[in-house]
Amino acid sequence: ATSACRNLITAQEPYVFLEPSLNDAYPRVGIVYDDKTNKVWKTTDTFLKAQGLVVPGYNNTKPNGEARGVDAFSATIQRATIINEWVAATKEGDTEAEWVVTFPTKAFYVDQFAHTQAAIADGTTPLNNRWETRYFKGGAYVALGATPAAEYLAAPYRPFKEKFSGQSCSQVTFTLFDRDEVSPNAPTPDTIIDSPAPVTVAEVDSLCYETNVLKFSEDSGIFGSDLAKTVDVSGLAMKKGWMELNLAVDAEAKTGLPLTDDGTAATAFQGLPVIGFMIKSRDRGDPAINYVSTITHAYTRKTDTWTQWNN
């Protein structure tokens, strides 16, 4: 392997068998197209290095480090909100739906130093490109040194908030709507509404795993996940509709990953690097007429200056 582009075939021995990974993205450039303004935003090698988002070169051949491929990759899937349908079964055989919300690069931001296969380890033995030499402190990335500082063990990288310790939670909010665009916290049609109308309050919750399952009734069993989170839809008479899940809640998620506009203007994506889908199932008790379908989530991207919708 070279310090520029590593081999994608690695020895099947500890701990090189962990490679290749999403941190092997090369070149280390993430490009996002803003359809609204026809502008191109980039997360580039040079710009990431300017932000201190670096790792040591292969075999420590580059003491000043190089940008992380995982940050460039994360920028391409970082979203502020998720939007999709939801359905809660009200009787046996009724249609029901569950969501899958996955953070595929999360380990490289939260999994630190606790074990030999950590995605971010102590940097003293760079067996592969997962190993780090810096940690986030006081708004900047600082050198780890030969002896890890105590705060390194408790400091994840933005846009995630908590280091991994059995789980790592990011705060989220969600706003439910039924098919008639009614929200649990919205006024009923016969209510006198003050002017200006009150803002619909979003429910606050958290997602704590790399892959999270959301269901909309306790009895939902599409995936049968013991760790599934149940979204409370009891405030809605109609048990179907759509939901917006906001990922840009924690301060770390609001500062996000750095972007550059042709190398001049600096801003940051808000939210978390996320992918996922909604799965809908109807079980009529007859394999000939049962069905399952999936729909990929729709998303919005957001910075301090613009918001973009994309499917």
Side-chain angles (χ1 to χ4, degrees):
T2 68
S3 59
C5 180
R6 301 182 178 93
N7 290 330
L8 297 184
I9 300 176
T10 56
Q12 294 304 296
E13 59 185 37
Y15 293 97
V16 185
F17 58 58
L18 298 174
E19 305 298 330
S21 72
L22 293 176
N23 202 20
D24 288 282
Y26 183 85
R28 291 170 289 274
V29 178
I31 301 176
V32 177
Y33 296 91
D34 178 9
D35 295 333
K36 185 184 297 183
T37 63
N38 200 29
K39 181 178 290 187
V40 177
W41 292 91
K42 297 181 180 180
T43 293
T44 66
D45 191 324
T46 301
F47 196 62
L48 287 168
K49 289 171 70 174
Q51 300 294 310
L53 293 163
V54 299
V55 294
Y58 225 70
N59 297 321
N60 281 338
T61 56
K62 296 177 67 176
N64 293 326
E66 53 193 42
R68 300 204 312 174
V70 71
D71 294 307
F73 178 81
S74 292
T76 65
I77 59 170
Q78 186 158 352
R79 281 87 174 231
T81 67
I82 300 172
I83 302 100
N84 214 328
E85 296 180 57
W86 65 271
V87 184
T90 57
K91 61 183 182 299
E92 186 176 356
D94 202 0
T95 303
E96 61 183 357
E98 295 184 2
W99 283 23
V100 175
V101 179
T102 300
F103 306 116
T105 60
K106 183 175 181 178
F108 294 98
Y109 298 86
V110 305
D111 183 16
Q112 298 186 343
F113 196 60
H115 51 84
T116 55
Q117 295 188 33
I120 307 172
D122 65 359
T124 59
T125 311
L127 294 175
N128 55 56
N129 69 21
R130 292 177 168 226
W131 293 58
E132 276 284 8
T133 58
R134 296 179 178 229
Y135 65 99
F136 198 67
K137 177 184 178 183
Y141 286 84
V142 298
L144 181 65
T147 303
E151 59 264 33
Y152 170 76
L153 304 180
Y157 289 0
R158 69 179 190 276
F160 290 94
K161 178 182 180 181
E162 296 181 357
K163 74 163 186 174
F164 177 75
S165 180
Q167 60 183 27
S168 169
C169 297
S170 294
Q171 194 173 52
V172 299
T173 61
F174 58 87
T175 306
L176 283 162
F177 298 89
D178 67 14
R179 292 277 179 91
D180 291 333
E181 299 295 325
V182 174
S183 182
N185 299 308
T188 58
D190 57 351
T191 300
I192 297 176
I193 302 175
D194 295 331
S195 181
V199 177
T200 299
V201 179
E203 298 291 333
V204 180
D205 211 319
S206 58
L207 300 180
C208 298
Y209 305 105
E210 187 166 271
T211 298
N212 304 267
V213 175
L214 306 182
K215 59 183 183 179
F216 300 92
S217 66
E218 289 290 349
D219 297 330
S220 181
I222 297 177
F223 287 114
S225 171
D226 292 334
L227 301 176
K229 184 177 292 292
T230 302
V231 178
D232 183 8
V233 300
S234 60
L236 290 170
M238 186 185 297
K239 302 303 181 185
K240 61 188 73 175
W242 66 278
M243 183 174 77
E244 181 176 42
L245 183 69
N246 179 18
L247 304 175
V249 179
D250 292 327
E252 294 80 0
K254 288 181 179 178
T255 55
L257 292 171
L259 293 170
T260 179
D261 172 17
D262 298 325
T264 54
T267 184
F269 266 147
Q270 296 183 18
L272 300 172
V274 63
I275 60 175
F277 60 93
M278 179 272 293
I279 184 168
K280 187 185 296 183
S281 170
R282 173 168 289 176
D283 183 357
R284 293 291 184 83
D286 181 353
I289 58 175
N290 295 345
Y291 74 83
V292 173
S293 60
T294 62
I295 299 176
T296 303
H297 296 315
Y299 307 93
T300 61
R301 301 182 188 272
K302 184 178 181 182
T303 71
D304 290 335
T305 57
W306 57 268
T307 300
Q308 173 185 329
W309 169 284
N310 71 303
N311 290 316

